[in-house]
Amino acid sequence: MLWTAFCMLAISWVQLALRERGIITSAGIASGIDMALSLIEQQHEPRLAAEVARYLVIYIRRNGTQPQRSVYLEYRNHLHPGVHRVQNWLAEHVLKSVSLTELAQIANMSVRSFSRAFKEATGLTPVQYQQRLRLEVASTLLQNSDLSIEAIATRCGFDDTRHFRRLWQRYFGVSPSATRKKQTKISVA
């Protein structure tokens, strides 16, 4: 019924939310929450959206142009309790520098056993997982702030902006600046 009334609107099978001609739609329930948090952020401020997300026990809002996956959920389909404890801790302390020894202590494992278990459970090393978390935070900042790329890198725990740019390019396939330009075009449309 909605399709017949608005058949001229675009459909995207990969985006979480789509805004066109004053109509905002989402892909489903979880993306509807992301969309609502986006609207709160646009109408008020990012901090209020983050507080609402915390109240609802949601990690971080995905922006509407991102695919329907999140680092907070993507690597959690395993049953290893020690790895889950570390993933929870890293998600809550994204910006904190932490050693492998400290993470192994959180998992109640030896460093060697923890490293092996984390890689088996997630397919990533703990460092790669933390980098993905930081890149997701950077993605939100890139879209929702006027901060420079250097300031975003620093705020996301990267000591070296060049390292941040290389990781971004490797993971997203484009530079942070190109991503910002693309997102600006989408939000204006």
Side-chain angles (χ1 to χ4, degrees), residues 92-110:
E92 292 169 10
H93 303 92
V94 175
L95 307 181
K96 185 173 178 168
S97 294
V98 62
S99 72
L100 202 52
T101 303
E102 291 171 301
L103 293 177
Q105 288 172 347
I106 292 167
N108 295 323
M109 301 172 75
S110 72

Side-chain angles (χ1 to χ4, degrees), residues 11 16 23 36 45 53 58 65-66 71-73 83-84 99 102 120 123 127 140-142 154 159 181-182:
I11 294 179
L16 294 171
I23 296 173
E45 62 181 4
I58 299 167
T65 62
Q66 291 173 325
V71 70
Y72 295 101
L73 303 174
V83 174
H84 276 297
S99 72
E102 291 171 301
E120 280 179 24
V127 170
T140 300
L141 288 174
L142 197 61
T154 301
D159 296 327
K181 286 178 189 168
K182 182 179 176 184

Side-chain angles (χ1 to χ4, degrees), residues 14 34 51 56 113 171 179:
V14 294
D34 293 326
E51 288 175 17
L56 295 174
S113 293
Y171 187 70
T179 302

Side-chain angles (χ1 to χ4, degrees), residues 53-71:
R54 260 193 306 281
Y55 178 77
L56 295 174
V57 192
I58 299 167
Y59 280 117
I60 249 183
R61 174 183 68 76
R62 300 170 288 176
N63 91 34
T65 62
Q66 291 173 325
Q68 297 184 48
R69 58 186 170 82
S70 167
V71 70

Side-chain angles (χ1 to χ4, degrees), residues 37-141:
L37 291 171
S38 174
L39 293 171
I40 291 169
E41 187 171 16
Q42 289 171 13
Q43 296 295 316
H44 300 282
E45 62 181 4
R47 196 175 94 215
L48 179 61
E51 288 175 17
V52 171
R54 260 193 306 281
Y55 178 77
L56 295 174
V57 192
I58 299 167
Y59 280 117
I60 249 183
R61 174 183 68 76
R62 300 170 288 176
N63 91 34
T65 62
Q66 291 173 325
Q68 297 184 48
R69 58 186 170 82
S70 167
V71 70
Y72 295 101
L73 303 174
E74 194 170 351
Y75 302 100
R76 303 294 295 231
N77 58 346
H78 60 84
L79 300 174
H80 197 291
V83 174
H84 276 297
R85 271 194 304 279
V86 169
Q87 287 178 298
N88 292 341
W89 190 91
L90 286 170
E92 292 169 10
H93 303 92
V94 175
L95 307 181
K96 185 173 178 168
S97 294
V98 62
S99 72
L100 202 52
T101 303
E102 291 171 301
L103 293 177
Q105 288 172 347
I106 292 167
N108 295 323
M109 301 172 75
S110 72
V111 172
R112 185 174 173 183
S113 293
F114 167 69
S115 296
R116 194 174 334 118
F118 197 96
K119 179 79 172 178
E120 280 179 24
T122 66
L124 300 172
T125 66
V127 170
Q128 289 171 324
Y129 184 75
Q130 185 180 45
Q131 288 172 342
R132 298 259 175 112
L133 290 170
R134 289 176 174 182
L135 288 173
E136 191 142 330
V137 172
S139 179
T140 300
L141 288 174

Side-chain angles (χ1 to χ4, degrees), residues 135 163-176 178:
L135 288 173
H163 178 64
F164 166 70
R165 288 177 189 273
R166 281 192 304 272
L167 279 173
W168 186 278
Q169 178 78 36
R170 186 181 323 141
Y171 187 70
F172 294 108
V174 295
S175 69

